[in-house]
Amino acid sequence: MPTLTVLDIQRMSSEDGPGLRTTVFLKGCPLRCGWCHNPESIDPRREVLWHAARCMGCGSCAAVCPQGAIACPEKALAFEASGVAIDRARCVGCFACCEACPAGALEAKGLPWDVLKLCRELLKDRAYWGAEGGVTLSGGEALMQGASLELLRLLKERGAHVAIDTCGLVPEARLRAALEHCDMVLYDIKVADSAKHRELTGAGNEEILRNFRIVAESHRRCWIRTPIIPGATDSDENIRAIGELLKEHSDAIERWELCAFNNLCESKYRSMGRAWEFAGVPLAAREKMEALCEIAKSTGACSDTRWTGAVKE
């Protein structure tokens, strides 16, 4: 059986499709969105995260690293530790440091799973899914790893309700194959203008919009998700333009969600030794989200248009 590099498995999720769901987050994404709230999901390779609050500065990690990729202040107490430095270019993701750390300050992200074993693990949760729930493949990008198709096939053969959460920047053939084995699609459309999309995410949106038409014509349940990012995607013009794009396939769209900016992920960037360009950006105001939602509704793109997420009260 092929393997998948898995970031995490989240149970009892109510935000990744209808009902209660088990969401499996896969490593790797073709986009580089500056606001990404799961930065550890972007790189398809295995990675190590360092959590400063847990670190004792004992040096165990540096002592066992076969690549010499870790520098650690020796014998420092947690509140004195100046920080573990990881040379990401030299790190090969062997996770020896994670196993050696006595405090759990180093966390392995990107564990290999045999696809059949992963399927069996996900199906353990079937009892609480109910009539609407099931499994959602997310990421990163749910379809970036080719073995995701085999996981979809195994889950559908065993009667699970399966959803894929995709940014849409995937090969057309892989998308069409995935649609054969899934019940619904959560589809991101972030920016209507391709040049602006490239500026913000590192890629244009032409392929994303072409693939959206394929999803819309597939007769699968489809929810559109648009992240509302302050200063990036939250203009009236962008929401109106996305609505105009969606309106052509309004009959195929069950829900359009405007997803409020999440600013709780800055610690993830610190744990990866990276700065976050949206650090310090506040949550959107409720009034802003409601106004954008009204603009979205006015386009007639979807009868069920709503905003989700936390806002600044």
Side-chain angles (χ1 to χ4, degrees):
M1 271 288 170
T3 61
L4 283 166
T5 304
V6 175
L7 181 67
D8 201 3
I9 297 174
Q10 179 177 309
R11 294 177 160 88
M12 301 292 286
S13 173
S14 60
E15 300 178 352
D16 299 310
L20 289 176
R21 310 191 70 79
T22 301
T23 304
V24 54
F25 295 90
L26 303 177
K27 281 277 271 168
C29 183
L31 296 179
R32 296 296 181 267
C33 306
W35 57 82
C36 182
H37 63 270
N38 285 323
E40 72 278 24
S41 72
I42 296 174
D43 195 322
R45 298 172 299 176
R46 301 191 290 179
E47 294 179 281
V48 175
L49 273 61
W50 173 65
H51 301 286
R54 305 175 192 168
C55 184
M56 301 186 300
C58 65
S60 298
C61 53
V64 301
C65 179
Q67 304 300 317
I70 301 177
C72 177
E74 293 186 15
K75 302 184 184 307
L77 297 176
F79 59 86
E80 298 174 338
S82 59
V84 167
I86 302 174
D87 185 337
R88 303 284 171 176
R90 296 172 68 180
C91 177
V92 295
C94 69
F95 299 146
C97 57
C98 301
E99 296 173 6
C101 180
L106 292 165
E107 182 182 7
K109 287 295 183 181
L111 297 176
W113 275 83
D114 174 88
V115 170
L116 181 56
K117 290 182 179 178
L118 179 57
C119 176
R120 290 170 177 164
E121 180 68 22
L122 300 174
L123 291 174
K124 289 178 182 178
D125 302 330
R126 190 195 296 267
Y128 71 71
W129 291 339
E132 279 280 282
V135 176
T136 299
L137 268 62
S138 187
E141 165 51 49
L143 300 180
M144 187 167 177
Q145 298 183 51
S148 60
L149 297 179
E150 181 65 10
L151 179 59
L152 289 171
R153 184 186 67 81
L154 291 173
L155 288 167
K156 280 309 299 174
E157 283 183 352
R158 288 154 178 78
H161 181 282
V162 184
I164 56 173
D165 184 358
T166 178
C167 72
L169 190 58
V170 296
E172 178 182 330
R174 187 173 299 171
L175 175 63
R176 289 186 182 277
L179 290 171
E180 293 296 317
H181 302 296
C182 75
D183 300 282
M184 72 175 300
V185 181
L186 312 176
Y187 203 92
D188 287 1
I189 297 185
K190 302 173 175 67
V191 182
D193 179 76
S194 187
K196 185 69 172 178
H197 195 283
R198 182 178 299 278
E199 174 189 336
L200 293 171
T201 72
N205 67 2
E206 292 87 355
E207 186 174 3
I208 292 169
L209 295 180
R210 285 197 300 271
N211 281 338
F212 165 64
R213 298 185 189 99
I214 293 170
V215 171
E217 294 166 2
S218 70
H219 306 294
R220 297 294 185 273
R221 295 176 68 181
C222 179
W223 291 4
I224 300 298
R225 287 173 158 180
T226 299
I228 303 301
I229 311 302
T233 70
D234 65 339
S235 69
D236 296 359
E237 293 77 14
N238 184 49
I239 300 306
R240 189 173 290 110
I242 291 175
E244 291 300 318
L245 290 171
L246 298 179
K247 188 164 60 174
E248 181 183 351
H249 298 283
S250 60
D251 291 346
I253 302 170
E254 182 177 317
R255 181 185 296 181
W256 182 12
E257 293 184 352
L258 307 184
C259 305
F261 171 65
N262 177 352
N263 66 357
L264 298 178
C265 60
E266 185 176 356
S267 62
K268 291 185 177 183
Y269 285 84
R270 287 198 300 269
S271 70
M272 299 175 68
R274 293 168 51 188
W276 187 34
E277 63 180 278
F278 284 85
V281 175
L283 297 177
R286 179 181 296 273
E287 294 77 12
K288 175 70 170 180
M289 294 301 300
E290 291 177 348
L292 291 176
C293 195
E294 288 304 313
I295 290 172
K297 289 177 180 177
S298 72
T299 66
C302 179
S303 58
D304 182 0
T305 298
R306 61 181 76 180
W307 65 269
T308 63
V311 292
K312 179 173 59 178
E313 295 294 344

